[in-house]
Amino acid sequence: MTLEKDPLNLIIAGVGGQGNILASQIVATAGIKEWLYVTVSETYGASQRGGPVMSHVRFSAKAQCGPLIPEGEADIIVGLEPIEALRIIADYGNPSTRVIVSPNPIYPISVLSGQAKYPPVEEVIQKLGGLVAEVRVVKAIEEGETGLAANIVMVGALAGSGMVPIGMKNFEESLGEIMSHRDLDLNLRAFKKGVELARGKVAVPAPVKTRKRK
Amino acid sequence: MGALELDQPGKTVLMMGNEAVARGAIEAGVDFCASYPGTPATEILESLARVAERFGIYAEWSTNEIVSLETAAAASLAGLRALVSMKQPGVNVCSDFLMTVNITGINGGLVLVVADDPRAMSSINEQDSRNYARYADLPLLEPADCQEAKDMTRWAFELSEKLRLPCILRTVTRLSHSRRNVKLGDLPTKKRTAKFEGVYISRDQDLAVAQHAALHQKLEQAREEFEASQFNFYVGPRKARFVIVTCGSGWVYSREAVAALRLKGKVGILKIGTTWPLPERFIVDHLKNVTEILIVEDVDPFLEQNIKILLAEQAKTLGPIEVYGAKSGHLPAYGEMNQDKVTQALASIKGLKPRVRDEKYVEKAKELALAYIPPRMPTFCPGCPHRASMWAIKSALKLDGRDGFVAGDIGCSSIGTGLTGYFQVKTIHCMGAGIGLANGFGKLDRFAFNQPVIAVCGDSTFYHAAIPALINARVHNSNVLMVVLDNGGTAMTGFQPHPGSGLDAFGQPAPTVEIENICGGIGVEFKVRDPFEISQAIEDLYDMLQDSGPRVMIFRRRCFLIEAKEKLQKKYYVDQSKCIGDDCGCARFCSRVFNCPGIIWDQEAQKAKIDEVVCTGCGVCATLCPEGAILVRGAAP
């Protein structure tokens, strides 16, 4: 297999507790089933919960990549949380980066306690659009839902978007290997919901004002 | 079935670095493993314990790292293969034994895996444990990726057994916690039986000196083994004048930096997997036509200094070679290495311009990020008993009014340095340092010192490192109040069992050693309180602050992450007819001061609100609200 871009660099960004690491493991295991070299690396701070967490996932048909994506070299960003997607773009984005983002915010303690303000989500997404080639908004959590399995919805959205060269069957096999039997049905449903959402949603091509890199 | 136990040699799977170490040990037929939990090393023993029964392996979470090394060494002395794993400060704890087991030697393969944490992502420092290999004259292996993590671990057992010497395998967070392709090897078929024979004594004068000399001979033997190791190799043009010498994660960063600068035809890479003692002939052979080298490694200039010594010794053969690295200022000797740093160093030496991000784009993106992203600070989890304990400490110290402070320790309680711990903790060093320092502060009264000192540590830390200092406090009648935050497990690393948990590494019931029995045995006064009974906790802590001599308060309440999973918790809500918002004068106590992520400030109503998804139902805020506005759902008001 050859990749259109090699290595293909994906970042999954979110907050501790959202299941970011599990999501990256599912995508990576599916990648190995496509006979690719896959490298996954997680970065997080000291807190188990509430801190920003990102996973770097790199696919190559040629060689095992290093664990870290160089600055500005993310091809795809999956944001489990809107401002976390923005945080990642600042360090790793470029004008041809493509973004899939969940619009459901996780408020930091500074916001919960009323000491800082969380920006309006529509505005964050609009600003994201000004920085990258494509933003797909995938509403992983409906009103009244708790957000369990939202990470798997986003994995489904990534699969459905066609941005990674991995077949549906390998994604589903990977889910079956990684998720416990008890939760598999729930997670397969979440995955399929994500696939539908990404396919149904026509990408909103945002106005790109910055000059595209050659 | 997980990849750890998969009996399919040749199959490629996705494996985490720490799992790969565990798989390598399993393939080597490891019999016995011991560890103390610590990020980034924890998953090594966790993985081994998970499959221990199937492979007939013994696994334990030891009380601390020196006990784990001694325990594992005993298995080795009885002819078994043993693995001990720990994070980098653990090596300091076990170094006393390490400095003698090197000279007595061992019998069965004994491998010490140390996971260093460059950039101190989950640590108190970023010490480079490779220095211990040189210090203790022990062979050192540094895997560059997950495949090598597995293969080197497997080989380390053979090497250790051949040399009758413990081997050190050093990983870093970025390897331990990354997942990559790993091709599995075959599983062992035979089992060993244990039998102790021989004499292993390190003793004064003649014997110790003779053993030391013999140790140096063993190290020369290790060097010979390393000369032909598959883990050392050269990639690049045949007659490169410029070579990057690298080890560990530096290998892949170097390869990518050379590719990024399109220097493949000009720059070679000499990758060393066996970094102490150095395979000298191998290195010299590959540097014969070279005039410049760049050395790439994680944290200390360990490889750099050893290579420089070699270059000085071989000056006649090699001629002058310019060395770039930490000393030359091209790469930092702190923080974590990455591809960008190597690319920049290489570009600056070669006078090239690396491809950089569009400055205007970066400026715009960073400006937006700055404007839109509120800070995310580490906090105690919702329902964390430590929040209540730290509140009790803060309140008691404030009531006391003598400018008291907290000497802190390692683990979840260290979050007490921040906002949600109310900034009470003023010192943090190594495991057990809180009570150790408090011992000293408690003897300063003759120098007009009158600030009360509270030493705070977690339960796992208490068993690990606090007991000798507590004995010291008793014997010297030091004025110290120790607070043990007992949440029932080693919470920060994922709730591994400790001597008070009543469980072993397999999850089976085990005897317990109670903290209060230890305090009673030492003869210090102690109380046990529930921090969720917060008024009582504050009052009793205040009373104890007024006493002198050593005292212990045990705040006991199980980690709520675990508790909430097991039991249905009460649902709390804010009765907004009772909450009077900013008119109350409590300064938004529950959401802003007490700082629990389960309590939200409702911007529209300008009143407090409970986030029922986040709230774990601990109920502490309900007892603290001055208006009594926080209530249990379904209960009579």
Side-chain angles (χ1 to χ4, degrees), chain A residues 54-72:
Chain A
M54 64 168 165
S55 308
H56 290 198
V57 187
R58 310 185 74 192
F59 303 95
S60 172
K62 294 188 249 172
Q64 194 82 52
C65 294
L68 292 171
I69 295 169
E71 285 195 8

Side-chain angles (χ1 to χ4, degrees), chain B residues 161-173:
Chain B
E161 225 156 74
K162 200 167 185 177
L163 301 168
R164 302 277 179 229
L165 209 56
C167 281
I168 300 178
L169 184 126
R170 183 237 197 180
T171 81
V172 292
T173 306

